[in-house]
Amino acid sequence: MEKLKNKVIVITGAAMGLGLASALEAAKNGALLSLVDFNAESLEAAKKEIESKYPGTQILTAVADVSDEEAVKKYVEETVNTFGRIDGFYNNAGIEGRQAPLVDYDLDVFKKVVDINLMGVYYGLKYIIPVMQKQEYGRIVNVASVGGIRGVMNQTPYVATKHAVSGITKTTALEYGRFGILSNAIAPGAILTPMVAEAFKQVNPSDPQAAEDEYAKANPTKRLGRPEEVGKLVVFLLSEDCSYVNGQVIAIDGGQSNAYGNV
Ligand SMILES: NC(=O)c1ccc[n+]([C@@H]2O[C@H](COP(=O)([O-])OP(=O)(O)OC[C@H]3O[C@@H](n4cnc5c(N)ncnc54)[C@H](O)[C@@H]3O)[C@@H](O)[C@H]2O)c1
């Protein structure tokens, strides 16, 4: 059964990683897609990949930086002009920044992480919620992280902004549930995307694979997650099957965030 048949779904950061995996899963489930990313070349490649795997999928693309309010307003307007509505919003674009303790953290990188991970998430909601309010229907999936429910060494701005995403999700759920809009967040653990591969390179530049193996050891499942596993959860939360889950931050991490001590 196609869980998103004829639903209009906006996905930010859609060119690769968790955004692309969710776009593929949404296309498989019959969605009409509005894909947003600031990397024009990768976005075009993502569109081609989706069209080749799921021919006939209607796809609008917008090259936009989610931390630029005017650009966000524009991609929302273009989506409504093209499809007439927005049923689901996967508010996913985000960056990790650098790895450094708080005192040594580069201030410009810190501010950039805040601009994209916090302000970018907020702008998307600011312009998409009114569209959903008029329809009296909407499903929002924000992307937090295990770093949105726990501390993580050397990642102060990432953890701060992801906790902010968890907080925004809980508040949005309270404010807009009465309009048929359900807001949830996912909190992925380490899922093997280009962003995480880059983090392993920073942790151990001479042997990133060793950093990955070490990380996997601490997980109850003894492996990293796969982007398509996240895509399936996202599609459920964007669908009508998700009818009474609201304001939750759902970990998808193989159980790792429950652990105390070695597993
Ligand atoms: N991969 C993981 O293990 C993991 C874990 C927890 C949370 N997350 C979160 O999931 C989201 C996606 O991560 P990913 O691993 O797929 O990353 P990724 O780097 O593989 O992909 C991110 C995509 O977002 C785009 N993007 C980045 N900044 C943007 C901006 N300002 N405007 C528009 N597009 C932008 C990039 O071009 C890229 O296509 C992020 O919010 C990240 O924090 C990922």
mmCIF file of all heavy atoms in Angstrom, residues 13 15-18 37-39 64-66 92-95 116 143-145 158 162 188-191 193-196, ligand 1:
data_model
loop_
_atom_site.group_PDB
_atom_site.id
_atom_site.type_symbol
_atom_site.label_atom_id
_atom_site.label_comp_id
_atom_site.label_asym_id
_atom_site.label_seq_id
_atom_site.Cartn_x
_atom_site.Cartn_y
_atom_site.Cartn_z
ATOM 1 N N GLY A 13 17.336 19.502 2.656
ATOM 2 C CA GLY A 13 18.553 18.689 2.711
ATOM 3 C C GLY A 13 18.331 17.388 1.962
ATOM 4 O O GLY A 13 18.769 16.322 2.389
ATOM 5 N N ALA A 15 19.305 16.366 -1.023
ATOM 6 C CA ALA A 15 20.241 15.917 -2.058
ATOM 7 C C ALA A 15 21.017 14.672 -1.679
ATOM 8 O O ALA A 15 21.502 13.956 -2.549
ATOM 9 C CB ALA A 15 21.204 17.050 -2.404
ATOM 10 N N MET A 16 21.177 14.430 -0.373
ATOM 11 C CA MET A 16 21.945 13.226 0.022
ATOM 12 C C MET A 16 21.536 12.774 1.422
ATOM 13 O O MET A 16 20.641 13.372 2.033
ATOM 14 C CB MET A 16 23.449 13.488 -0.082
ATOM 15 C CG MET A 16 23.959 14.599 0.789
ATOM 16 S SD MET A 16 25.743 14.833 0.581
ATOM 17 C CE MET A 16 25.789 15.961 -0.787
ATOM 18 N N GLY A 17 22.190 11.723 1.889
ATOM 19 C CA GLY A 17 22.001 11.275 3.268
ATOM 20 C C GLY A 17 20.557 10.954 3.618
ATOM 21 O O GLY A 17 19.816 10.352 2.834
ATOM 22 N N LEU A 18 20.160 11.371 4.816
ATOM 23 C CA LEU A 18 18.823 11.026 5.329
ATOM 24 C C LEU A 18 17.712 11.692 4.515
ATOM 25 O O LEU A 18 16.610 11.157 4.409
ATOM 26 C CB LEU A 18 18.701 11.445 6.793
ATOM 27 C CG LEU A 18 19.711 10.822 7.765
ATOM 28 C CD1 LEU A 18 19.379 11.203 9.195
ATOM 29 C CD2 LEU A 18 19.751 9.313 7.619
ATOM 30 N N ASP A 37 17.538 21.930 -1.388
ATOM 31 C CA ASP A 37 18.927 21.741 -0.940
ATOM 32 C C ASP A 37 19.738 22.922 -1.465
ATOM 33 O O ASP A 37 19.375 23.532 -2.464
ATOM 34 C CB ASP A 37 19.519 20.428 -1.480
ATOM 35 C CG ASP A 37 20.648 19.899 -0.598
ATOM 36 O OD1 ASP A 37 21.749 20.507 -0.613
ATOM 37 O OD2 ASP A 37 20.433 18.901 0.111
ATOM 38 N N PHE A 38 20.850 23.239 -0.789
ATOM 39 C CA PHE A 38 21.678 24.328 -1.337
ATOM 40 C C PHE A 38 22.770 23.832 -2.275
ATOM 41 O O PHE A 38 23.466 24.628 -2.875
ATOM 42 C CB PHE A 38 22.213 25.271 -0.262
ATOM 43 C CG PHE A 38 23.198 24.706 0.747
ATOM 44 C CD1 PHE A 38 23.683 23.420 0.690
ATOM 45 C CD2 PHE A 38 23.640 25.530 1.773
ATOM 46 C CE1 PHE A 38 24.589 22.941 1.627
ATOM 47 C CE2 PHE A 38 24.540 25.074 2.715
ATOM 48 C CZ PHE A 38 25.014 23.766 2.635
ATOM 49 N N ASN A 39 22.872 22.520 -2.432
ATOM 50 C CA ASN A 39 23.845 21.950 -3.350
ATOM 51 C C ASN A 39 23.123 21.573 -4.652
ATOM 52 O O ASN A 39 22.511 20.511 -4.767
ATOM 53 C CB ASN A 39 24.487 20.718 -2.686
ATOM 54 C CG ASN A 39 25.567 20.102 -3.545
ATOM 55 O OD1 ASN A 39 25.562 20.226 -4.754
ATOM 56 N ND2 ASN A 39 26.494 19.423 -2.893
ATOM 57 N N ALA A 64 18.036 26.199 -2.396
ATOM 58 C CA ALA A 64 17.838 27.223 -1.360
ATOM 59 C C ALA A 64 18.634 26.863 -0.124
ATOM 60 O O ALA A 64 18.809 25.682 0.202
ATOM 61 C CB ALA A 64 16.350 27.313 -1.004
ATOM 62 N N ASP A 65 19.092 27.904 0.560
ATOM 63 C CA ASP A 65 19.766 27.740 1.852
ATOM 64 C C ASP A 65 18.701 27.939 2.929
ATOM 65 O O ASP A 65 18.075 29.001 3.003
ATOM 66 C CB ASP A 65 20.870 28.799 1.968
ATOM 67 C CG ASP A 65 21.667 28.677 3.251
ATOM 68 O OD1 ASP A 65 21.139 28.133 4.250
ATOM 69 O OD2 ASP A 65 22.818 29.137 3.260
ATOM 70 N N VAL A 66 18.493 26.924 3.762
ATOM 71 C CA VAL A 66 17.400 26.994 4.752
ATOM 72 C C VAL A 66 17.646 28.066 5.824
ATOM 73 O O VAL A 66 16.730 28.428 6.556
ATOM 74 C CB VAL A 66 17.136 25.629 5.443
ATOM 75 C CG1 VAL A 66 16.703 24.579 4.437
ATOM 76 C CG2 VAL A 66 18.343 25.159 6.253
ATOM 77 N N ASN A 92 14.760 18.619 7.564
ATOM 78 C CA ASN A 92 15.910 17.740 7.806
ATOM 79 C C ASN A 92 17.288 18.390 7.664
ATOM 80 O O ASN A 92 18.239 17.937 8.301
ATOM 81 C CB ASN A 92 15.760 16.553 6.820
ATOM 82 C CG ASN A 92 17.034 15.790 6.582
ATOM 83 O OD1 ASN A 92 17.448 14.995 7.428
ATOM 84 N ND2 ASN A 92 17.671 16.014 5.437
ATOM 85 N N ALA A 93 17.388 19.469 6.855
ATOM 86 C CA ALA A 93 18.735 20.006 6.567
ATOM 87 C C ALA A 93 19.452 20.387 7.857
ATOM 88 O O ALA A 93 18.873 21.011 8.749
ATOM 89 C CB ALA A 93 18.639 21.219 5.641
ATOM 90 N N GLY A 94 20.699 19.994 7.960
ATOM 91 C CA GLY A 94 21.476 20.322 9.155
ATOM 92 C C GLY A 94 22.939 20.012 8.924
ATOM 93 O O GLY A 94 23.297 19.268 8.009
ATOM 94 N N ILE A 95 23.784 20.630 9.742
ATOM 95 C CA ILE A 95 25.226 20.358 9.652
ATOM 96 C C ILE A 95 25.752 20.022 11.041
ATOM 97 O O ILE A 95 25.151 20.388 12.053
ATOM 98 C CB ILE A 95 26.017 21.552 9.066
ATOM 99 C CG1 ILE A 95 25.812 22.835 9.916
ATOM 100 C CG2 ILE A 95 25.638 21.816 7.624
ATOM 101 C CD1 ILE A 95 26.779 23.953 9.584
ATOM 102 N N ILE A 116 21.892 27.354 10.667
ATOM 103 C CA ILE A 116 21.295 26.289 9.842
ATOM 104 C C ILE A 116 20.407 25.371 10.692
ATOM 105 O O ILE A 116 19.238 25.141 10.359
ATOM 106 C CB ILE A 116 22.407 25.484 9.122
ATOM 107 C CG1 ILE A 116 23.137 26.410 8.135
ATOM 108 C CG2 ILE A 116 21.811 24.273 8.389
ATOM 109 C CD1 ILE A 116 24.324 25.786 7.425
ATOM 110 N N VAL A 143 14.206 17.101 12.400
ATOM 111 C CA VAL A 143 15.317 16.178 12.641
ATOM 112 C C VAL A 143 16.175 16.702 13.794
ATOM 113 O O VAL A 143 16.879 17.694 13.667
ATOM 114 C CB VAL A 143 16.152 15.953 11.371
ATOM 115 C CG1 VAL A 143 17.299 14.989 11.677
ATOM 116 C CG2 VAL A 143 15.264 15.355 10.288
ATOM 117 N N ALA A 144 16.022 16.026 14.934
ATOM 118 C CA ALA A 144 16.903 16.283 16.078
ATOM 119 C C ALA A 144 18.080 15.324 15.935
ATOM 120 O O ALA A 144 18.662 15.183 14.856
ATOM 121 C CB ALA A 144 16.150 16.092 17.384
ATOM 122 N N SER A 145 18.403 14.612 16.971
ATOM 123 C CA SER A 145 19.555 13.698 16.980
ATOM 124 C C SER A 145 19.587 13.087 18.370
ATOM 125 O O SER A 145 18.937 13.606 19.294
ATOM 126 C CB SER A 145 20.829 14.525 16.754
ATOM 127 O OG SER A 145 21.978 13.770 17.088
ATOM 128 N N TYR A 158 26.188 21.796 18.033
ATOM 129 C CA TYR A 158 25.322 20.760 17.450
ATOM 130 C C TYR A 158 24.315 20.284 18.499
ATOM 131 O O TYR A 158 23.098 20.245 18.249
ATOM 132 C CB TYR A 158 26.181 19.589 16.950
ATOM 133 C CG TYR A 158 25.384 18.543 16.199
ATOM 134 C CD1 TYR A 158 24.993 18.750 14.885
ATOM 135 C CD2 TYR A 158 25.015 17.343 16.817
ATOM 136 C CE1 TYR A 158 24.255 17.785 14.198
ATOM 137 C CE2 TYR A 158 24.288 16.384 16.135
ATOM 138 C CZ TYR A 158 23.906 16.606 14.828
ATOM 139 O OH TYR A 158 23.162 15.659 14.161
ATOM 140 N N LYS A 162 20.299 20.875 18.486
ATOM 141 C CA LYS A 162 19.425 19.710 18.376
ATOM 142 C C LYS A 162 18.481 19.616 19.594
ATOM 143 O O LYS A 162 17.341 19.178 19.461
ATOM 144 C CB LYS A 162 20.244 18.431 18.193
ATOM 145 C CG LYS A 162 20.979 18.371 16.844
ATOM 146 C CD LYS A 162 20.008 18.437 15.657
ATOM 147 C CE LYS A 162 20.685 18.268 14.311
ATOM 148 N NZ LYS A 162 19.734 18.333 13.180
ATOM 149 N N PRO A 188 18.064 10.462 15.324
ATOM 150 C CA PRO A 188 18.913 9.366 14.845
ATOM 151 C C PRO A 188 20.196 9.260 15.662
ATOM 152 O O PRO A 188 20.750 10.259 16.115
ATOM 153 C CB PRO A 188 19.242 9.760 13.395
ATOM 154 C CG PRO A 188 18.299 10.854 13.031
ATOM 155 C CD PRO A 188 17.959 11.544 14.319
ATOM 156 N N GLY A 189 20.665 8.029 15.833
ATOM 157 C CA GLY A 189 22.027 7.790 16.321
ATOM 158 C C GLY A 189 22.938 7.866 15.114
ATOM 159 O O GLY A 189 22.625 8.573 14.154
ATOM 160 N N ALA A 190 24.035 7.132 15.120
ATOM 161 C CA ALA A 190 24.917 7.207 13.954
ATOM 162 C C ALA A 190 24.344 6.393 12.812
ATOM 163 O O ALA A 190 24.217 5.175 12.894
ATOM 164 C CB ALA A 190 26.307 6.720 14.306
ATOM 165 N N ILE A 191 23.968 7.091 11.761
ATOM 166 C CA ILE A 191 23.466 6.462 10.537
ATOM 167 C C ILE A 191 24.527 6.766 9.476
ATOM 168 O O ILE A 191 24.958 7.927 9.374
ATOM 169 C CB ILE A 191 22.111 7.083 10.100
ATOM 170 C CG1 ILE A 191 21.122 7.217 11.277
ATOM 171 C CG2 ILE A 191 21.516 6.304 8.934
ATOM 172 C CD1 ILE A 191 20.582 5.951 11.854
ATOM 173 N N THR A 193 25.785 8.137 6.745
ATOM 174 C CA THR A 193 25.547 9.081 5.644
ATOM 175 C C THR A 193 26.867 9.828 5.395
ATOM 176 O O THR A 193 27.807 9.707 6.196
ATOM 177 C CB THR A 193 24.483 10.122 6.054
ATOM 178 O OG1 THR A 193 25.012 10.875 7.151
ATOM 179 C CG2 THR A 193 23.168 9.483 6.440
ATOM 180 N N PRO A 194 26.929 10.664 4.324
ATOM 181 C CA PRO A 194 28.163 11.442 4.091
ATOM 182 C C PRO A 194 28.559 12.287 5.311
ATOM 183 O O PRO A 194 29.745 12.421 5.615
ATOM 184 C CB PRO A 194 27.796 12.331 2.897
ATOM 185 C CG PRO A 194 26.771 11.544 2.147
ATOM 186 C CD PRO A 194 25.983 10.801 3.195
ATOM 187 N N MET A 195 27.573 12.825 6.057
ATOM 188 C CA MET A 195 27.906 13.656 7.224
ATOM 189 C C MET A 195 28.646 12.839 8.289
ATOM 190 O O MET A 195 29.639 13.288 8.861
ATOM 191 C CB MET A 195 26.633 14.260 7.844
ATOM 192 C CG MET A 195 26.924 15.232 8.965
ATOM 193 S SD MET A 195 25.436 15.910 9.744
ATOM 194 C CE MET A 195 25.172 14.680 11.012
ATOM 195 N N VAL A 196 28.180 11.627 8.531
ATOM 196 C CA VAL A 196 28.787 10.787 9.569
ATOM 197 C C VAL A 196 30.146 10.256 9.094
ATOM 198 O O VAL A 196 31.109 10.192 9.877
ATOM 199 C CB VAL A 196 27.814 9.659 9.971
ATOM 200 C CG1 VAL A 196 28.492 8.594 10.795
ATOM 201 C CG2 VAL A 196 26.659 10.272 10.765
HETATM 202 N N1 LIG B 1 23.551 10.742 9.807
HETATM 203 C C1 LIG B 1 23.380 10.663 11.098
HETATM 204 O O1 LIG B 1 23.837 9.721 11.745
HETATM 205 C C2 LIG B 1 22.588 11.677 11.842
HETATM 206 C C3 LIG B 1 22.407 11.497 13.209
HETATM 207 C C4 LIG B 1 21.652 12.423 13.897
HETATM 208 C C5 LIG B 1 21.081 13.487 13.235
HETATM 209 N N2 LIG B 1 21.300 13.649 11.895
HETATM 210 C C6 LIG B 1 20.685 14.811 11.268
HETATM 211 O O2 LIG B 1 20.055 14.424 10.058
HETATM 212 C C7 LIG B 1 20.068 15.516 9.140
HETATM 213 C C8 LIG B 1 20.656 15.041 7.825
HETATM 214 O O3 LIG B 1 21.964 14.555 8.085
HETATM 215 P P1 LIG B 1 22.777 13.657 7.047
HETATM 216 O O4 LIG B 1 23.588 12.738 7.855
HETATM 217 O O5 LIG B 1 21.862 13.134 5.996
HETATM 218 O O6 LIG B 1 23.738 14.782 6.451
HETATM 219 P P2 LIG B 1 24.431 14.925 5.017
HETATM 220 O O7 LIG B 1 25.529 15.913 5.206
HETATM 221 O O8 LIG B 1 24.757 13.574 4.479
HETATM 222 O O9 LIG B 1 23.278 15.572 4.139
HETATM 223 C C9 LIG B 1 22.761 16.830 4.475
HETATM 224 C C10 LIG B 1 22.121 17.489 3.269
HETATM 225 O O10 LIG B 1 21.642 18.773 3.705
HETATM 226 C C11 LIG B 1 22.101 19.770 2.810
HETATM 227 N N3 LIG B 1 22.242 21.025 3.534
HETATM 228 C C12 LIG B 1 23.109 21.299 4.552
HETATM 229 N N4 LIG B 1 22.960 22.574 4.958
HETATM 230 C C13 LIG B 1 21.970 23.116 4.188
HETATM 231 C C14 LIG B 1 21.365 24.385 4.139
HETATM 232 N N5 LIG B 1 21.774 25.398 4.919
HETATM 233 N N6 LIG B 1 20.364 24.600 3.252
HETATM 234 C C15 LIG B 1 19.962 23.610 2.416
HETATM 235 N N7 LIG B 1 20.511 22.377 2.420
HETATM 236 C C16 LIG B 1 21.508 22.135 3.284
HETATM 237 C C17 LIG B 1 23.414 19.238 2.253
HETATM 238 O O11 LIG B 1 23.754 19.838 1.000
HETATM 239 C C18 LIG B 1 23.120 17.747 2.148
HETATM 240 O O12 LIG B 1 22.503 17.424 0.911
HETATM 241 C C19 LIG B 1 20.862 16.630 9.815
HETATM 242 O O13 LIG B 1 19.972 17.542 10.428
HETATM 243 C C20 LIG B 1 21.670 15.884 10.863
HETATM 244 O O14 LIG B 1 22.037 16.694 11.937
HETATM 245 C C21 LIG B 1 22.042 12.781 11.184
#
